[in-house]
Amino acid sequence: LHLMIENVGSSGIILTPEQKATLQTSLVILKNEQKFNKVFLWGKIKGIKDDYFIAQGIGRDEMSDKRYMYSKDCLNWGLLNPPTKELREKAKMFKGRFTGDASNEFEHIQIKKVPGEGDEMHEEEETITMKEEDRLACVIAEIDHDAFVVPRGAYIRTPIGQIVSNKSFEGLNIAESAKLNSYCHFREAV
């Protein structure tokens, strides 16, 4: 884990030495408490007041047994509920930055045209609210769905249907790594 955290700085995300040390211990504790097979630092989502550190815990099936946790101090982790399709569609209405307060409620005013008397249409306002914690879970799910790619052959399906790391996969050679078709999205087929 400590080797992976050192590589984060090249992507523009800088962690202080205190954050690195705290993450190295808290992610190991998180893995043991939640009984994950693997735990990764998924990323950092910046907020206005506080930032969110996101961890991804993986169980036996690496595709479907994933859970996400967030922390503002790299020590105390809160579990994010998996977003439903309806919640993910609702989250697309909200724009703007995260505040850093998981209990904050975002508001969106939607104007609908409603039939009135005769052929007349009048406008009606509807206020839609969403907690920041739910929006955070939706944004993470959308990023994962759109951007999680892996090399072909890096994972295999076991006879019982689980997706696991291919222990015999040694990586792609230079020629194969330059080809776009050497990679695939790591998600259920659509």
Side-chain angles (χ1 to χ4, degrees), residues 62-140:
E62 297 208 23
M63 184 175 289
S64 63
D65 194 8
K66 292 190 280 190
R67 289 189 286 170
Y68 296 92
M69 286 74 54
Y70 71 95
S71 175
K72 293 192 272 183
D73 60 0
C74 301
L75 186 63
N76 300 307
W77 296 92
L79 185 64
L80 290 169
N81 293 322
T84 61
K85 283 185 180 182
E86 295 81 23
L87 200 58
R88 285 171 74 166
E89 286 301 314
K90 182 179 172 182
K92 292 177 183 179
M93 294 182 209
F94 298 93
K95 306 292 180 211
R97 295 180 61 191
F98 287 97
T99 62
D101 177 13
S103 63
N104 180 51
E105 288 214 0
F106 291 98
E107 287 187 357
H108 174 75
I109 298 173
Q110 187 171 4
I111 299 173
K112 290 185 172 182
K113 293 196 176 198
V114 182
E117 295 178 25
D119 292 337
E120 291 183 21
M121 299 287 277
H122 68 277
E123 293 180 349
E124 189 176 279
E125 287 186 1
E126 179 185 4
T127 303
I128 301 168
T129 61
M130 181 177 227
K131 282 179 50 180
E132 181 160 296
E133 183 177 40
D134 293 334
R135 183 174 170 228
L136 182 65
C138 292
V139 166
I140 292 168

Side-chain angles (χ1 to χ4, degrees), residues 35-38 56-67 155-158 160-165 186 188:
K35 297 182 179 28
F36 292 127
N37 288 348
K38 299 177 187 176
Q56 179 186 56
I58 298 174
R60 292 182 183 203
D61 188 323
E62 297 208 23
M63 184 175 289
S64 63
D65 194 8
K66 292 190 280 190
R67 289 189 286 170
Y155 292 89
I156 57 171
R157 185 178 302 268
T158 65
I160 59 172
Q162 293 179 336
I163 306 294
V164 295
S165 296
F186 194 63
E188 293 292 332

Side-chain angles (χ1 to χ4, degrees), residues 10-40:
S10 65
S11 64
I13 298 171
I14 306 300
L15 300 175
T16 65
E18 293 83 14
Q19 289 172 334
K20 288 179 187 178
T22 306
L23 280 170
Q24 286 175 346
T25 55
S26 72
L27 290 179
V28 171
I29 293 168
L30 185 66
K31 177 183 172 188
N32 293 332
E33 284 180 351
Q34 298 292 325
K35 297 182 179 28
F36 292 127
N37 288 348
K38 299 177 187 176
V39 172
F40 298 104

